[in-house]
Amino acid sequence: MATGETGFADVTFDLISVQYHSLKAGHDYGQYVRDAENADLDDVASFFREVMEQDSQRAERAHELLRKLAGTEHGGPATT
């Protein structure tokens, strides 16, 4: 099983990374929505809401996959 420098299986680390970045982006997009709304740019605000929803779905899917990996050889610290 391949492991990265974290000591966790690469797949687990990768899923955690995707989940984190999707959630972080979603948080940032909230500000973008407010900025667009403050500028009366409803179409831009709508676009930001769409990408925020996509990232939310992406984070949820990563979480589901992490849950599926829990308890498997890919679901935690790598063993040598």
Side-chain angles (χ1 to χ4, degrees):
M1 167 181 5
T3 60
E5 293 182 26
T6 64
F8 278 77
D10 288 344
V11 171
T12 300
F13 178 83
D14 296 345
L15 284 168
I16 291 169
S17 181
V18 166
Q19 184 182 40
Y20 168 80
H21 289 288
S22 295
L23 291 169
K24 173 72 170 97
H27 179 268
D28 294 343
Y29 295 146
Q31 181 60 51
Y32 303 166
V33 168
R34 288 187 294 279
D35 291 346
E37 288 173 341
N38 290 338
D40 292 323
L41 298 171
D42 293 336
D43 54 341
V44 176
S46 178
F47 169 75
F48 289 136
R49 282 189 204 92
E50 288 174 26
V51 294
M52 187 167 39
E53 177 61 27
Q54 291 166 358
D55 271 322
S56 177
Q57 291 172 357
R58 188 172 297 112
E60 184 176 336
R61 180 70 173 131
H63 187 74
E64 291 169 4
L65 291 169
L66 284 164
R67 196 172 330 130
K68 181 179 173 183
L69 291 178
T72 72
E73 66 180 286
H74 303 290
T79 57
T80 54

Coordinates of all heavy atoms in Angstrom, one line a residue:
M1 N 0.9 -1.2 0.0 CA 0.0 0.0 0.0 C 0.9 1.2 0.0 O 1.8 1.4 0.8 CB -0.9 -0.1 1.2 CG -1.6 1.2 1.5 SD -2.6 1.2 3.0 CE -2.4 -0.4 3.8
A2 N 0.6 2.1 -0.9 CA 1.4 3.4 -1.0 C 1.0 4.3 0.1 O -0.2 4.4 0.4 CB 1.2 4.0 -2.3
T3 N 2.0 5.0 0.7 CA 1.7 6.0 1.7 C 2.5 7.3 1.4 O 3.5 7.2 0.8 CB 2.1 5.5 3.1 OG1 3.5 5.3 3.1 CG2 1.4 4.3 3.5
G4 N 1.9 8.4 1.8 CA 2.5 9.7 1.6 C 3.3 10.0 2.8 O 3.5 9.2 3.7
E5 N 3.8 11.2 2.9 CA 4.6 11.6 4.0 C 3.7 11.8 5.3 O 4.3 11.9 6.4 CB 5.3 13.0 3.7 CG 6.3 12.8 2.6 CD 7.0 14.1 2.3 OE1 7.1 14.9 3.2 OE2 7.5 14.2 1.2
T6 N 2.4 11.7 5.2 CA 1.6 11.8 6.4 C 1.5 10.5 7.2 O 1.1 10.5 8.3 CB 0.1 12.2 6.0 OG1 -0.4 11.1 5.2 CG2 0.1 13.5 5.3
G7 N 1.9 9.4 6.6 CA 1.8 8.1 7.2 C 0.4 7.5 7.0 O 0.1 6.4 7.4
F8 N -0.5 8.2 6.3 CA -1.8 7.7 6.0 C -1.8 7.2 4.5 O -1.0 7.7 3.7 CB -2.9 8.7 6.1 CG -3.4 8.9 7.5 CD1 -2.6 9.6 8.4 CD2 -4.6 8.3 7.9 CE1 -3.1 9.8 9.7 CE2 -5.0 8.5 9.2 CZ -4.3 9.2 10.1
A9 N -2.6 6.2 4.3 CA -2.7 5.7 2.9 C -3.1 6.9 2.0 O -3.8 7.7 2.3 CB -3.8 4.6 2.8
D10 N -2.4 6.9 0.8 CA -2.6 8.0 -0.1 C -4.1 8.3 -0.4 O -4.5 9.4 -0.5 CB -1.8 7.7 -1.4 CG -0.3 7.9 -1.3 OD1 0.1 8.4 -0.3 OD2 0.4 7.4 -2.2
V11 N -4.9 7.2 -0.6 CA -6.3 7.4 -1.0 C -7.0 8.1 0.1 O -7.8 9.0 -0.1 CB -6.9 6.1 -1.3 CG1 -8.4 6.2 -1.5 CG2 -6.3 5.5 -2.6
T12 N -6.8 7.7 1.4 CA -7.4 8.4 2.5 C -7.0 9.9 2.6 O -7.9 10.7 2.7 CB -7.0 7.7 3.8 OG1 -7.5 6.3 3.7 CG2 -7.7 8.4 5.0
F13 N -5.7 10.1 2.5 CA -5.3 11.5 2.5 C -5.9 12.3 1.3 O -6.3 13.4 1.5 CB -3.7 11.6 2.4 CG -3.2 13.0 2.4 CD1 -3.0 13.6 3.5 CD2 -2.9 13.6 1.2 CE1 -2.5 15.0 3.5 CE2 -2.4 14.9 1.1 CZ -2.2 15.6 2.3
D14 N -5.9 11.7 0.2 CA -6.5 12.4 -1.0 C -7.9 12.8 -0.8 O -8.4 13.9 -1.1 CB -6.3 11.6 -2.3 CG -4.9 11.3 -2.6 OD1 -4.0 12.0 -2.1 OD2 -4.6 10.4 -3.4
L15 N -8.7 11.8 -0.3 CA -10.1 12.1 0.0 C -10.3 13.2 1.1 O -11.2 14.1 0.9 CB -10.9 10.8 0.4 CG -11.2 9.9 -0.7 CD1 -11.6 8.5 -0.1 CD2 -12.2 10.4 -1.7
I16 N -9.5 13.1 2.1 CA -9.6 14.2 3.1 C -9.2 15.5 2.5 O -9.9 16.5 2.8 CB -8.6 13.8 4.3 CG1 -9.2 12.6 5.1 CG2 -8.5 15.0 5.3 CD1 -8.2 12.0 6.1
S17 N -8.2 15.5 1.7 CA -7.8 16.8 1.0 C -8.9 17.4 0.2 O -9.2 18.6 0.2 CB -6.6 16.6 0.2 OG -6.1 17.7 -0.4
V18 N -9.6 16.5 -0.6 CA -10.7 17.0 -1.5 C -11.8 17.5 -0.6 O -12.4 18.6 -0.9 CB -11.2 15.9 -2.4 CG1 -12.5 16.2 -3.1 CG2 -10.1 15.6 -3.5
Q19 N -12.1 16.8 0.4 CA -13.2 17.2 1.3 C -12.9 18.6 2.0 O -13.7 19.5 2.0 CB -13.5 16.2 2.4 CG -14.6 16.5 3.3 CD -14.8 15.5 4.4 OE1 -13.9 15.0 5.0 NE2 -16.1 15.2 4.7
Y20 N -11.7 18.7 2.5 CA -11.3 20.0 3.1 C -11.3 21.1 2.1 O -11.9 22.2 2.4 CB -9.8 19.8 3.7 CG -9.3 21.2 4.1 CD1 -9.7 21.8 5.3 CD2 -8.5 21.9 3.2 CE1 -9.2 23.0 5.6 CE2 -8.0 23.2 3.6 CZ -8.4 23.7 4.8 OH -7.9 25.0 5.1
H21 N -10.8 20.9 1.0 CA -10.7 22.0 0.0 C -12.1 22.4 -0.5 O -12.4 23.6 -0.8 CB -9.7 21.7 -1.1 CG -8.3 21.8 -0.7 ND1 -7.7 22.9 -0.4 CD2 -7.4 20.8 -0.4 CE1 -6.4 22.7 0.0 NE2 -6.3 21.4 0.0
S22 N -13.0 21.4 -0.6 CA -14.4 21.7 -1.1 C -15.1 22.5 0.0 O -15.8 23.4 -0.3 CB -15.1 20.4 -1.3 OG -14.5 19.7 -2.4
L23 N -14.9 22.1 1.3 CA -15.6 22.8 2.4 C -15.0 24.2 2.5 O -15.8 25.2 2.7 CB -15.4 22.1 3.7 CG -16.2 20.7 3.8 CD1 -15.8 19.9 5.0 CD2 -17.7 21.0 3.7
K24 N -13.7 24.4 2.4 CA -13.1 25.7 2.5 C -13.5 26.6 1.3 O -13.9 27.7 1.6 CB -11.5 25.5 2.4 CG -10.8 26.8 2.3 CD -10.8 27.6 3.6 CE -9.8 28.7 3.6 NZ -10.4 30.0 3.3
A25 N -13.6 26.0 0.1 CA -14.1 26.8 -1.0 C -15.5 27.3 -0.8 O -15.9 28.4 -1.1 CB -14.0 26.0 -2.3
G26 N -16.4 26.3 -0.3 CA -17.7 26.7 0.0 C -17.9 27.8 0.9 O -18.7 28.7 0.8
H27 N -17.0 27.8 1.9 CA -17.0 28.9 2.9 C -16.7 30.3 2.2 O -17.3 31.3 2.4 CB -16.0 28.6 4.0 CG -15.9 29.7 5.0 ND1 -15.0 30.7 5.0 CD2 -16.6 29.9 6.2 CE1 -15.1 31.5 6.0 NE2 -16.1 31.1 6.7
D28 N -15.6 30.2 1.4 CA -15.2 31.4 0.6 C -16.3 31.9 -0.3 O -16.5 33.1 -0.5 CB -13.9 31.1 -0.1 CG -12.7 30.9 0.8 OD1 -12.8 31.2 2.0 OD2 -11.7 30.3 0.3
Y29 N -17.0 31.0 -1.0 CA -18.0 31.4 -1.9 C -19.1 32.1 -1.3 O -19.8 33.0 -1.9 CB -18.6 30.2 -2.7 CG -17.6 29.4 -3.5 CD1 -17.7 28.0 -3.7 CD2 -16.6 30.1 -4.2 CE1 -16.8 27.4 -4.5 CE2 -15.7 29.4 -5.0 CZ -15.8 28.1 -5.1 OH -14.9 27.4 -5.9
G30 N -19.4 31.9 0.0 CA -20.4 32.7 0.7 C -20.1 34.2 0.6 O -21.0 35.0 0.4
Q31 N -18.8 34.5 0.8 CA -18.4 35.9 0.7 C -18.6 36.4 -0.7 O -19.0 37.5 -1.0 CB -17.0 36.1 1.1 CG -16.5 37.6 1.1 CD -17.4 38.5 2.0 OE1 -17.6 38.2 3.2 NE2 -17.9 39.6 1.4
Y32 N -18.3 35.6 -1.7 CA -18.4 35.9 -3.1 C -19.9 36.2 -3.4 O -20.2 37.2 -4.2 CB -17.9 34.9 -4.0 CG -16.4 34.5 -3.8 CD1 -15.9 33.3 -4.4 CD2 -15.6 35.2 -3.0 CE1 -14.6 32.9 -4.2 CE2 -14.2 34.8 -2.8 CZ -13.8 33.7 -3.4 OH -12.5 33.3 -3.3
V33 N -20.8 35.4 -2.9 CA -22.2 35.6 -3.1 C -22.6 37.0 -2.6 O -23.3 37.8 -3.2 CB -23.0 34.5 -2.5 CG1 -24.5 34.8 -2.5 CG2 -22.8 33.2 -3.2
R34 N -22.2 37.3 -1.4 CA -22.5 38.6 -0.7 C -22.0 39.7 -1.5 O -22.6 40.7 -1.7 CB -22.0 38.6 0.7 CG -22.8 37.7 1.6 CD -22.4 37.9 3.1 NE -21.1 37.4 3.4 CZ -20.7 36.2 3.6 NH1 -21.6 35.2 3.6 NH2 -19.5 35.9 3.9
D35 N -20.7 39.6 -2.0 CA -20.1 40.6 -2.8 C -21.0 40.9 -4.1 O -21.2 42.0 -4.5 CB -18.7 40.3 -3.2 CG -17.7 40.3 -2.0 OD1 -18.1 40.8 -1.0 OD2 -16.6 39.8 -2.2
A36 N -21.4 39.8 -4.8 CA -22.1 39.9 -6.0 C -23.5 40.5 -5.7 O -24.0 41.4 -6.5 CB -22.3 38.6 -6.7
E37 N -24.1 40.1 -4.6 CA -25.4 40.7 -4.2 C -25.3 42.1 -3.9 O -26.2 42.9 -4.3 CB -26.0 39.9 -3.1 CG -26.5 38.5 -3.4 CD -26.9 37.7 -2.2 OE1 -26.5 38.0 -1.1 OE2 -27.6 36.7 -2.4
N38 N -24.3 42.5 -3.2 CA -24.1 43.9 -2.9 C -23.8 44.8 -4.1 O -24.1 46.0 -4.1 CB -22.9 44.1 -1.9 CG -23.2 43.6 -0.5 OD1 -24.4 43.4 -0.2 ND2 -22.2 43.2 0.2
A39 N -23.3 44.2 -5.2 CA -23.1 44.9 -6.4 C -24.3 44.7 -7.4 O -24.2 45.2 -8.5 CB -21.9 44.3 -7.1
D40 N -25.4 44.2 -6.9 CA -26.6 44.0 -7.7 C -26.4 43.1 -8.9 O -26.9 43.4 -10.0 CB -27.3 45.3 -8.0 CG -27.9 46.0 -6.8 OD1 -28.4 45.3 -5.9 OD2 -27.8 47.2 -6.8
L41 N -25.5 42.1 -8.8 CA -25.2 41.2 -9.9 C -25.8 39.9 -9.6 O -25.1 38.9 -9.2 CB -23.7 41.2 -10.1 CG -23.0 42.5 -10.5 CD1 -21.5 42.3 -10.4 CD2 -23.4 42.9 -11.8
D42 N -27.1 39.8 -9.8 CA -27.8 38.5 -9.4 C -27.3 37.3 -10.2 O -27.3 36.2 -9.6 CB -29.3 38.7 -9.6 CG -29.9 39.7 -8.6 OD1 -29.3 39.9 -7.5 OD2 -30.9 40.3 -8.9
D43 N -27.0 37.5 -11.5 CA -26.5 36.4 -12.2 C -25.2 35.8 -11.7 O -24.9 34.6 -11.7 CB -26.4 36.7 -13.7 CG -25.6 37.9 -14.0 OD1 -25.3 38.8 -13.1 OD2 -25.2 38.1 -15.2
V44 N -24.3 36.7 -11.3 CA -23.0 36.3 -10.7 C -23.2 35.6 -9.4 O -22.6 34.6 -9.1 CB -22.0 37.5 -10.6 CG1 -20.8 37.1 -9.9 CG2 -21.8 38.1 -12.0
A45 N -24.1 36.2 -8.6 CA -24.4 35.6 -7.3 C -25.0 34.2 -7.5 O -24.6 33.3 -6.7 CB -25.4 36.5 -6.5
S46 N -25.8 34.0 -8.5 CA -26.4 32.7 -8.8 C -25.3 31.7 -9.2 O -25.3 30.6 -8.7 CB -27.4 32.9 -9.9 OG -28.0 31.6 -10.2
F47 N -24.4 32.2 -10.0 CA -23.2 31.3 -10.4 C -22.5 30.9 -9.1 O -22.2 29.7 -9.0 CB -22.3 32.1 -11.3 CG -21.0 31.4 -11.6 CD1 -21.0 30.3 -12.4 CD2 -19.9 31.8 -11.0 CE1 -19.8 29.6 -12.6 CE2 -18.7 31.2 -11.2 CZ -18.6 30.1 -12.0
F48 N -22.2 31.8 -8.2 CA -21.4 31.4 -7.0 C -22.2 30.5 -6.2 O -21.6 29.6 -5.6 CB -21.0 32.7 -6.2 CG -19.9 33.5 -6.9 CD1 -20.1 34.9 -6.9 CD2 -18.8 32.9 -7.4 CE1 -19.1 35.7 -7.5 CE2 -17.8 33.7 -8.0 CZ -17.9 35.1 -8.0
R49 N -23.5 30.6 -6.1 CA -24.3 29.7 -5.4 C -24.3 28.3 -6.0 O -24.2 27.3 -5.3 CB -25.8 30.1 -5.3 CG -26.1 31.2 -4.3 CD -27.6 31.4 -4.1 NE -27.8 32.8 -3.6 CZ -28.0 33.9 -4.4 NH1 -28.0 33.8 -5.7 NH2 -28.1 35.0 -3.8
E50 N -24.2 28.2 -7.3 CA -24.1 27.0 -8.0 C -22.8 26.3 -7.7 O -22.8 25.1 -7.4 CB -24.2 27.2 -9.5 CG -25.6 27.5 -10.1 CD -25.6 27.9 -11.5 OE1 -24.7 27.4 -12.3 OE2 -26.4 28.6 -12.0
V51 N -21.7 27.0 -7.8 CA -20.4 26.3 -7.5 C -20.3 26.0 -6.0 O -19.7 25.0 -5.7 CB -19.2 27.2 -8.0 CG1 -19.2 27.3 -9.5 CG2 -19.1 28.5 -7.4
M52 N -20.9 26.8 -5.1 CA -20.9 26.5 -3.7 C -21.7 25.1 -3.5 O -21.2 24.3 -2.7 CB -21.6 27.6 -2.9 CG -21.5 27.4 -1.4 SD -21.9 28.9 -0.4 CE -23.3 29.6 -1.2
E53 N -22.8 25.0 -4.2 CA -23.6 23.7 -4.1 C -22.8 22.5 -4.6 O -22.8 21.4 -4.0 CB -24.9 23.8 -4.8 CG -25.7 22.6 -4.8 CD -26.1 22.1 -3.4 OE1 -26.2 22.9 -2.5 OE2 -26.3 20.8 -3.2
Q54 N -22.1 22.7 -5.7 CA -21.3 21.7 -6.3 C -20.2 21.3 -5.3 O -19.9 20.1 -5.1 CB -20.7 22.1 -7.6 CG -21.7 22.3 -8.7 CD -21.1 23.0 -9.9 OE1 -20.0 23.5 -9.9 NE2 -22.0 23.1 -10.9
D55 N -19.5 22.2 -4.7 CA -18.5 21.9 -3.7 C -19.1 21.2 -2.5 O -18.4 20.3 -1.9 CB -17.7 23.1 -3.3 CG -16.5 23.4 -4.2 OD1 -15.8 22.4 -4.6 OD2 -16.2 24.5 -4.5
S56 N -20.2 21.6 -2.1 CA -20.9 20.9 -1.0 C -21.2 19.5 -1.3 O -20.9 18.6 -0.5 CB -22.2 21.7 -0.6 OG -22.9 21.0 0.4
Q57 N -21.7 19.2 -2.5 CA -21.9 17.9 -2.9 C -20.6 17.1 -3.0 O -20.6 15.9 -2.6 CB -22.6 17.8 -4.3 CG -24.0 18.4 -4.2 CD -24.7 18.5 -5.6 OE1 -24.0 18.3 -6.6 NE2 -25.9 18.9 -5.6
R58 N -19.5 17.7 -3.5 CA -18.2 17.1 -3.6 C -17.7 16.7 -2.2 O -17.2 15.6 -2.0 CB -17.3 18.0 -4.3 CG -15.9 17.4 -4.6 CD -15.1 18.3 -5.5 NE -15.8 18.6 -6.8 CZ -16.3 19.8 -7.1 NH1 -16.2 20.8 -6.4 NH2 -16.9 19.9 -8.3
A59 N -17.9 17.6 -1.2 CA -17.4 17.3 0.1 C -18.2 16.2 0.7 O -17.7 15.3 1.4 CB -17.5 18.6 1.0
E60 N -19.5 16.2 0.5 CA -20.4 15.1 1.0 C -20.0 13.7 0.4 O -19.9 12.7 1.1 CB -21.9 15.4 0.7 CG -22.8 14.4 1.3 CD -24.3 14.8 1.0 OE1 -24.6 16.0 0.8 OE2 -25.1 13.9 1.0
R61 N -19.7 13.7 -0.9 CA -19.3 12.5 -1.5 C -18.0 12.0 -1.0 O -17.8 10.8 -0.8 CB -19.3 12.7 -3.1 CG -18.8 11.5 -3.8 CD -19.9 10.4 -3.8 NE -19.5 9.3 -4.7 CZ -19.6 8.0 -4.4 NH1 -20.0 7.7 -3.2 NH2 -19.1 7.1 -5.2
A62 N -17.0 12.9 -0.8 CA -15.8 12.5 -0.2 C -16.0 11.9 1.2 O -15.4 10.9 1.5 CB -14.8 13.7 -0.1
H63 N -16.9 12.5 2.0 CA -17.2 12.0 3.3 C -17.8 10.6 3.2 O -17.4 9.7 4.0 CB -18.1 12.9 4.0 CG -18.4 12.6 5.4 ND1 -17.5 12.8 6.4 CD2 -19.5 12.0 6.0 CE1 -17.9 12.4 7.6 NE2 -19.2 11.9 7.4
E64 N -18.7 10.4 2.3 CA -19.3 9.0 2.1 C -18.2 8.0 1.8 O -18.2 6.9 2.3 CB -20.3 9.0 1.0 CG -21.6 9.8 1.3 CD -22.4 10.0 0.1 OE1 -22.1 9.5 -1.0 OE2 -23.5 10.7 0.2
L65 N -17.3 8.4 0.9 CA -16.2 7.4 0.5 C -15.3 7.2 1.7 O -14.8 6.0 1.9 CB -15.5 8.0 -0.7 CG -16.3 8.0 -2.0 CD1 -15.6 8.8 -3.1 CD2 -16.6 6.5 -2.4
L66 N -15.0 8.2 2.5 CA -14.1 8.0 3.7 C -14.8 7.1 4.6 O -14.1 6.2 5.2 CB -13.8 9.3 4.3 CG -12.8 10.2 3.6 CD1 -12.9 11.6 4.1 CD2 -11.4 9.6 3.8
R67 N -16.1 7.2 4.8 CA -16.8 6.3 5.7 C -16.8 4.9 5.2 O -16.6 4.0 6.0 CB -18.3 6.8 5.8 CG -19.0 6.2 7.0 CD -20.4 6.8 7.2 NE -20.5 8.2 6.8 CZ -21.5 8.7 6.0 NH1 -22.4 7.9 5.6 NH2 -21.5 9.9 5.7
K68 N -16.9 4.7 3.9 CA -16.8 3.4 3.3 C -15.4 2.8 3.5 O -15.3 1.6 3.7 CB -17.1 3.5 1.8 CG -17.1 2.2 1.0 CD -17.4 2.5 -0.4 CE -17.2 1.2 -1.2 NZ -17.5 1.4 -2.6
L69 N -14.4 3.6 3.5 CA -13.0 3.1 3.7 C -12.7 2.8 5.1 O -11.7 2.1 5.4 CB -12.0 4.1 3.1 CG -11.9 4.3 1.6 CD1 -10.9 5.3 1.3 CD2 -11.6 2.9 0.9
A70 N -13.4 3.4 6.1 CA -13.2 3.2 7.5 C -13.1 1.7 7.8 O -14.0 0.9 7.4 CB -14.2 3.9 8.3
G71 N -12.1 1.3 8.5 CA -12.0 -0.1 8.9 C -11.4 -1.0 7.8 O -11.3 -2.2 8.0
T72 N -11.0 -0.4 6.7 CA -10.3 -1.2 5.7 C -8.9 -0.9 5.7 O -8.4 0.0 6.4 CB -10.9 -0.9 4.3 OG1 -10.4 0.4 3.9 CG2 -12.4 -1.0 4.2
E73 N -8.1 -1.6 5.0 CA -6.6 -1.3 4.9 C -6.3 0.1 4.4 O -5.3 0.6 4.5 CB -5.9 -2.4 4.1 CG -6.3 -2.4 2.6 CD -5.6 -3.4 1.8 OE1 -4.4 -3.2 1.6 OE2 -6.2 -4.4 1.5
H74 N -7.3 0.7 3.7 CA -7.1 2.0 3.1 C -7.7 3.1 4.0 O -7.6 4.3 3.7 CB -7.8 2.1 1.8 CG -7.4 1.1 0.8 ND1 -6.1 1.1 0.2 CD2 -8.0 0.0 0.4 CE1 -6.0 0.0 -0.6 NE2 -7.2 -0.7 -0.5
G75 N -8.3 2.8 5.2 CA -9.0 3.8 5.9 C -8.4 4.5 7.1 O -9.0 5.1 7.8
G76 N -7.1 4.3 7.2 CA -6.4 4.9 8.4 C -4.9 5.0 8.2 O -4.5 4.9 7.1
P77 N -4.2 5.1 9.3 CA -2.8 5.1 9.2 C -2.3 3.9 8.5 O -2.8 2.8 8.7 CB -2.3 5.2 10.6 CG -3.5 5.7 11.4 CD -4.7 5.2 10.7
A78 N -1.3 4.1 7.6 CA -0.7 3.0 6.9 C 0.0 2.1 7.8 O 0.7 2.5 8.8 CB 0.2 3.5 5.8
T79 N -0.1 0.8 7.6 CA 0.7 -0.2 8.3 C 1.8 -0.7 7.5 O 1.7 -0.8 6.2 CB -0.2 -1.4 8.8 OG1 -0.8 -1.9 7.6 CG2 -1.3 -0.9 9.7
T80 N 2.9 -0.9 8.1 CA 4.1 -1.4 7.3 C 4.3 -2.8 7.4 O 3.8 -3.5 8.3 CB 5.4 -0.6 7.7 OG1 5.6 -0.8 9.1 CG2 5.3 0.8 7.3

